[in-house]
Amino acid sequence: MRRIRIVGGGLTGILAALQAYRLGARDIELYERLDCLGGVALPQVCDGREMREGCVYFGPKGDALRSLLEEHGAVFEDFDNRFGSVSPGKDGLVYSQDFGGPALDATGAQLSTLDNENLLGRIDCYEDALTGPLARYVRWHVGCAPAQLHASAAIPLAINRVFPTGISIDTITQAKQSDALADELFGIPRAMWGYASNVQASLPVDGFTGLFRQCRRALNDIGVRVYDRKLATPRAMLGEDKAEDIVIWAASPMPLFKAVGVETPKAPARKFVTHTFEIDWTGPVPFYVQNFTARGSCFRTYIYESNGSTLLTAECVAETDDAALIKEIGHMVEGFEGELAVGKKLFKTAKPRWLYHSVDTIDKLGQLRKALAAARGDRFIPGAWEAYSKGEKFAEVEANLQRTLNVQMLAQAS
């Protein structure tokens, strides 16, 4: 079996190495440009506590991604998955328990035809009472018009489903059960809907730093050669002398565009600022709240425990002073169970996030895939660049890897 070379030591790259081994590969290399594994999921550590920059969970027992990590020594702890959202309402803020999307006042469950690939086309399916607040939220959050974003941006923006308040649950339920588009675009808070698939989630017992240490040990145990501080360029990975290798590009695809002659896309450039505080909190932990009011600066708060402390990370669309931010956080959580007291700020960072794909980005990624397939065939496996969730990324890379290895084994057998 040919050598497998994996670019990127984040979770996608680690899982690709473990899955390649499971499928019979034994000559595996993994390249990571930094000095440790984990990628964007690896938090900085201050006084033994993880400064997590976002809300990252794993599935319950039996989840495919989690199961693969458990096979290699990772240990997870289940918890009751609690979350909520705050949305603009006629008479103030609307707090939704166990619903992570916007809850907006509507007159009915009517939808127009979905006939556009951009996010505006998706938003325009709703009645005007919903379209206006959703468009304002997008411009506030990303800094560009919805028409510039691909429809898939609805998922990282958490507006893929809207709870239309002001109409009966029976009306929404009937619409969801009778119409596929209504089922895709409307949501109902978990307790009202009887939805149970996300009731449980899990986190690594030793935190994310402990998880990635275990991943390194596991890779060493199965003979994967890990190269730290190694910048794997397209020329090095795709050169003629490496033509027979199978390459899994689990890192950012940006360096590949120029290498294969495809114009580099212009992704929405927006830096997000995260602040982490020590807190006292009497409500559920972990817990997060999404903000759809399009006011202030904080779009999500995430409460979690690390090394005996309860911490809160506030993810913000813009810089703000601590006093204003703490006041915002208080308004975001006051409609939920629990009393909050915010203490010392421990951490702050500002960096761009490549989550909200533009229409141009999706088009250029398609061109990039075609160019790489023409040049390398099934010996080049993209890293599920368009997908947002860990599970979706894992499933796509796993399927492509299995197909490629099956082809290789058939070729050898013949």
Side-chain angles (χ1 to χ4, degrees):
M1 187 176 290
R2 292 183 173 91
R3 176 172 52 176
I4 294 179
R5 311 176 90 202
I6 301 168
V7 180
L11 193 56
T12 300
I14 292 168
L15 291 166
L18 298 177
Q19 185 64 2
Y21 183 84
R22 176 195 270 178
L23 294 171
R26 293 297 180 267
D27 189 359
I28 306 169
E29 298 177 349
L30 188 150
Y31 295 81
E32 169 53 45
R33 66 185 180 87
L34 301 178
D35 60 358
C36 51
L37 300 180
V40 296
L42 181 66
Q44 292 195 37
V45 177
C46 297
D47 296 327
R49 297 170 292 187
E50 295 186 346
M51 304 293 107
R52 299 177 191 171
E53 295 179 33
C55 177
V56 180
Y57 294 161
F58 292 86
K61 193 71 175 176
D63 173 75
L65 186 157
R66 170 180 165 177
S67 295
L68 181 57
L69 292 169
E70 287 177 325
E71 286 178 22
H72 292 275
V75 180
F76 293 86
E77 182 177 17
D78 294 304
F79 62 87
D80 292 333
N81 190 17
R82 304 297 304 276
F83 50 91
S85 65
V86 56
S87 307
K90 288 181 178 178
D91 302 314
L93 300 180
V94 176
Y95 294 92
S96 301
Q97 179 70 54
D98 293 332
F99 184 69
L104 302 171
D105 191 54
T107 61
Q110 300 85 12
L111 294 167
S112 59
T113 304
L114 179 63
D115 59 0
N116 205 318
E117 70 173 1
N118 67 48
L119 185 58
L120 180 61
R122 184 184 179 100
I123 290 174
D124 275 348
C125 287
Y126 299 106
E127 62 177 273
D128 291 345
L130 305 185
T131 298
L134 291 173
R136 284 193 295 274
Y137 167 74
V138 172
R139 287 191 290 268
W140 171 77
H141 191 128
V142 189
C144 67
Q148 294 177 251
L149 298 176
H150 191 266
S152 62
I155 297 175
L157 282 166
I159 58 171
N160 49 309
R161 286 190 173 89
V162 175
F163 175 38
T165 61
I167 58 178
S168 71
I169 297 298
D170 288 343
T171 299
I172 309 170
T173 301
Q174 184 177 6
K176 286 175 66 67
Q177 291 175 340
S178 61
D179 179 57
L181 183 59
D183 190 41
E184 180 182 350
L185 297 183
F186 287 137
I188 303 174
R190 192 169 64 194
M192 300 179 184
W193 177 237
Y195 188 68
S197 68
N198 67 346
V199 169
Q200 289 279 304
S202 64
L203 284 167
V205 168
D206 294 326
F208 287 90
T209 50
L211 171 66
F212 291 121
R213 282 196 299 268
Q214 176 56 37
C215 286
R216 179 178 285 277
R217 288 192 291 268
L219 293 172
N220 289 337
D221 289 345
I222 62 177
V224 175
R225 298 183 297 281
V226 178
Y227 298 99
D228 293 317
R229 297 184 292 278
K230 183 74 172 180
L231 184 61
T233 65
R235 176 179 293 182
M237 292 293 110
L238 304 178
E240 289 299 323
D241 59 324
K242 309 294 192 306
E244 297 305 310
D245 293 344
I246 297 170
V247 174
I248 303 174
W249 198 280
S252 167
M254 287 304 184
L256 292 167
F257 286 98
K258 184 177 180 180
V260 299
V262 174
E263 183 183 3
T264 303
K266 295 177 176 60
R270 186 70 179 268
K271 281 190 176 181
F272 293 93
V273 185
T274 60
H275 306 255
T276 302
F277 298 89
E278 286 183 313
I279 63 167
D280 289 320
W281 168 248
T282 62
V285 181
F287 182 68
Y288 70 86
V289 179
Q290 298 273 163
N291 174 22
F292 297 101
T293 65
R295 296 200 297 264
S297 64
C298 183
F299 68 87
R300 181 166 56 201
T301 61
Y302 171 42
I303 297 171
Y304 63 98
E305 291 181 342
S306 181
N307 197 22
S309 297
T310 304
L311 307 179
L312 182 149
T313 288
E315 300 174 75
C316 301
V317 300
E319 293 277 3
T320 186
D321 64 81
D322 287 356
L325 178 57
I326 290 170
K327 188 175 181 179
E328 274 188 60
I329 292 168
H331 289 319
M332 287 176 64
V333 303
E334 66 184 359
F336 301 98
E337 173 193 355
E339 296 293 327
L340 174 68
V342 179
K344 178 183 176 183
K345 185 161 79 171
L346 304 173
F347 181 73
K348 174 186 172 183
T349 186
K351 60 181 66 171
R353 297 188 188 180
W354 204 62
L355 295 176
Y356 313 105
H357 295 313
S358 66
V359 174
D360 180 61
T361 298
I362 294 295
D363 176 62
K364 295 297 195 309
L365 283 172
Q367 294 179 38
L368 178 64
R369 287 173 178 271
K370 289 180 182 178
L372 289 165
R376 295 294 298 259
D378 59 10
R379 294 188 304 281
F380 185 92
I381 300 175
W385 301 314
E386 297 91 339
Y388 173 64
S389 74
K390 300 184 303 301
E392 189 179 357
K393 286 179 178 290
F394 173 64
E396 182 179 329
V397 173
E398 178 187 38
N400 289 335
L401 178 59
Q402 185 159 4
R403 182 168 55 250
T404 295
L405 293 182
N406 286 342
V407 169
Q408 299 295 327
M409 287 188 286
L410 286 173
Q412 289 176 355
S414 62

